[in-house]
Amino acid sequence: MRERTIAIVGGGAAGNAAARTLVGHGFEGRVLIIGETGVAPYNRTLVDKGLMTGLLTAEQTALPPAEGAERLLDTALGFDASGSSVRLASGVEVHFDAAIVATGSRPRLLDTAIPGLAHAVAAGRVTTLHSARDAEAIRDSLSSGPHRVSILGAGLVGSEAASLLREAGHQITLIARARTPLVPVLGRAIAEHVADLHRRHVTTRFGRTAAAFKPRSDRVDMLLDDGEAIESDLVIVAHGTVPSAPAPLAGRGLVVDDRLRLEGEASVYAAGGVAVLPFSDGRRLRIDHWDDAAAQGAHAARSLLHDLGRIGDPGPYGPSSRFSIRTHGTTIAGAGIAVPDAVERTASEEPLITVFETAEGTSTGVVGVNAARQIHGWSTKLHRP
Ligand SMILES: Cc1cc2nc3c(=O)[nH]c(=O)nc-3n(C[C@H](O)[C@H](O)[C@H](O)COP(=O)(O)OP(=O)(O)OC[C@H]3O[C@@H](n4cnc5c(N)ncnc54)[C@H](O)[C@@H]3O)c2cc1C
């Protein structure tokens, strides 16, 4: 009898956790992790904290393959859900009995119509901060001493990068479209706290965005939408992420049911930054945090084992994992999620802790300032929205 194969496309947080869960439950078939050609999976959270800063080498950020799983570095170019196969860049076709798609996300880019952008990118003056390669290029281009760095986007990655690069001695301008960045993730009270931290430590331009770029021989001039010109040695774009999946799955993300089964497809699951999760009020959300991606990977694997008749039903997936950033010496830690229209309630003033509740009073998320211990306690009390 042919050995059963479970193909896991993507070996990052979600894919690796899925493989560990399958092996850990004693799945006796073949667990195959498919990764990108020439790119051994790594811990993406260390891209800015470790690689960009030069504190860690690429080897130190690598993710060891889950024990008992096979790993093949050969980019998945085509995913045929109904034909149960994945076409790889080498031409190999992998046939699977079940698959978990865990290909994560890619950076949201600037509008290509912005004048001068393509030239500035080609000159190495505008970059994203998502991959190990991005981080190493930033590290190398800033290695010769203090530089002027503009960061477009003050989300979690932009905020953390602003702090890390300021601590490394660079002169930072942090630019964000929102007047108070991060409100949807942290709630208004804590987002205002973070915005104040930025104002005290770096130059901020909130409520603005890039309108044009003029690369010069020794710098790039960026024109903001209010006409202000900002001279920079490097511009980092940190405008969040969009889901990334092999064709023909690519698009707005892979919509799954509450067990993380890909909608409309038998034996295919999705987890992590690529997955779009359903909630009880009919809304759908994507969660792009490391621990949550790992928890989704493990849950998708348990759903798959349940569907194979191996274990009991793991139940609906509920996000309660923790996330944190350290910016300008302050730790912002959270757990769960703030669903759109959540009611924001201040649970404590000192330390500042915000709890997100549905209209029915169910706590779905919590965020705190220098309150990691309290957030840990809260994370066990959160409910699935
Ligand atoms: C700079 C930075 C810092 C971050 N810091 C934090 C943090 O401090 N805390 C936190 O919670 N989150 C952080 N995140 C977010 C976190 O890294 C992601 O949420 C998490 O990695 C998502 O896990 P994933 O498994 O969905 O995707 P990934 O971990 O990105 O893994 C996806 C994998 O799929 C592979 N892949 C993609 N396409 C293909 C294909 N076609 N074929 C084969 N393989 C493919 C990729 O190479 C990759 O290995 C950070 C993100 C960035 C960019």
Side-chain angles (χ1 to χ4, degrees), residues 11 33 78 80 82 91 103 160 170 190 215 233 238 246 252 264 274 327 378:
I33 301 178
D80 180 355
S82 47
T103 37
E160 194 168 69
H170 303 293
I190 294 182
D233 300 301
R252 293 209 200 139
V274 72
T327 191
W378 265 99

Side-chain angles (χ1 to χ4, degrees), residues 29-80:
R30 181 184 184 214
V31 177
L32 174 66
I33 301 178
I34 298 166
E36 278 179 274
T37 309
V39 185
Y42 50 86
N43 183 333
R44 198 172 296 284
T45 69
L46 300 175
V47 157
D48 56 346
K49 296 173 261 301
L51 289 178
M52 183 183 76
T53 56
L55 284 174
L56 297 177
T57 61
E59 291 71 38
Q60 289 168 319
T61 64
L63 284 175
E67 216 173 298
E70 225 179 288
R71 196 158 76 179
L72 185 62
L73 298 184
D74 194 348
T75 303
L77 293 183
F79 189 93
D80 180 355

Side-chain angles (χ1 to χ4, degrees), residues 8-16 34-37 39-49 63 72-78 86 88 102-105 129-131 135 156-157 160 241 244-247 271-275 287-294 296 322-326:
I8 301 174
V9 190
N16 223 30
I34 298 166
E36 278 179 274
T37 309
V39 185
Y42 50 86
N43 183 333
R44 198 172 296 284
T45 69
L46 300 175
V47 157
D48 56 346
K49 296 173 261 301
L63 284 175
L72 185 62
L73 298 184
D74 194 348
T75 303
L77 293 183
V86 193
L88 307 182
T103 37
S105 57
L129 173 53
H130 188 79
S131 64
L156 296 176
V157 169
E160 194 168 69
T241 61
S244 169
V274 72
I287 306 173
D288 206 353
H289 301 313
W290 182 268
D291 284 354
D292 201 81
Q296 287 182 41
R322 281 172 279 152
F323 62 90
S324 68
I325 57 160
R326 194 154 168 81

Side-chain angles (χ1 to χ4, degrees), residues 116-137:
L117 175 62
H119 188 181
V121 171
R125 297 280 178 193
V126 175
T127 178
T128 49
L129 173 53
H130 188 79
S131 64
R133 199 183 299 158
D134 290 339
E136 285 164 350

Side-chain angles (χ1 to χ4, degrees), residues 52-191:
M52 183 183 76
T53 56
L55 284 174
L56 297 177
T57 61
E59 291 71 38
Q60 289 168 319
T61 64
L63 284 175
E67 216 173 298
E70 225 179 288
R71 196 158 76 179
L72 185 62
L73 298 184
D74 194 348
T75 303
L77 293 183
F79 189 93
D80 180 355
S82 47
S84 301
S85 67
V86 193
R87 184 172 45 82
L88 307 182
S90 64
V92 166
E93 190 139 340
V94 172
H95 293 273
F96 56 76
D97 297 279
I100 299 175
V101 183
T103 37
S105 57
R106 54 189 167 78
R108 182 179 285 116
L109 303 177
L110 288 172
D111 184 347
T112 51
I114 295 177
L117 175 62
H119 188 181
V121 171
R125 297 280 178 193
V126 175
T127 178
T128 49
L129 173 53
H130 188 79
S131 64
R133 199 183 299 158
D134 290 339
E136 285 164 350
I138 294 170
R139 182 196 62 199
D140 294 348
S141 77
L142 300 180
S143 63
S144 59
H147 287 277
R148 296 160 300 176
V149 182
S150 293
I151 300 175
L152 283 167
L156 296 176
V157 169
S159 290
E160 194 168 69
S163 169
L164 290 166
L165 293 174
R166 184 194 74 91
E167 280 163 21
H170 303 293
Q171 189 187 317
I172 308 298
T173 304
L174 183 61
I175 301 145
R177 277 185 283 229
R179 291 193 181 279
T180 309
L182 280 169
V183 172
V185 182
L186 305 180
R188 182 152 295 277
I190 294 182

Side-chain angles (χ1 to χ4, degrees), residues 213-247:
F213 292 88
K214 273 195 193 146
R216 310 285 187 188
S217 59
D218 61 341
R219 63 175 199 273
V220 60
D221 291 346
M222 177 168 53
L223 208 63
L224 299 188
D225 51 357
D226 63 351
E228 183 183 7
I230 296 186
E231 289 183 9
S232 314
D233 300 301
L234 185 68
V235 175
I236 297 175
V237 181
H239 275 172
T241 61
V242 293
S244 169

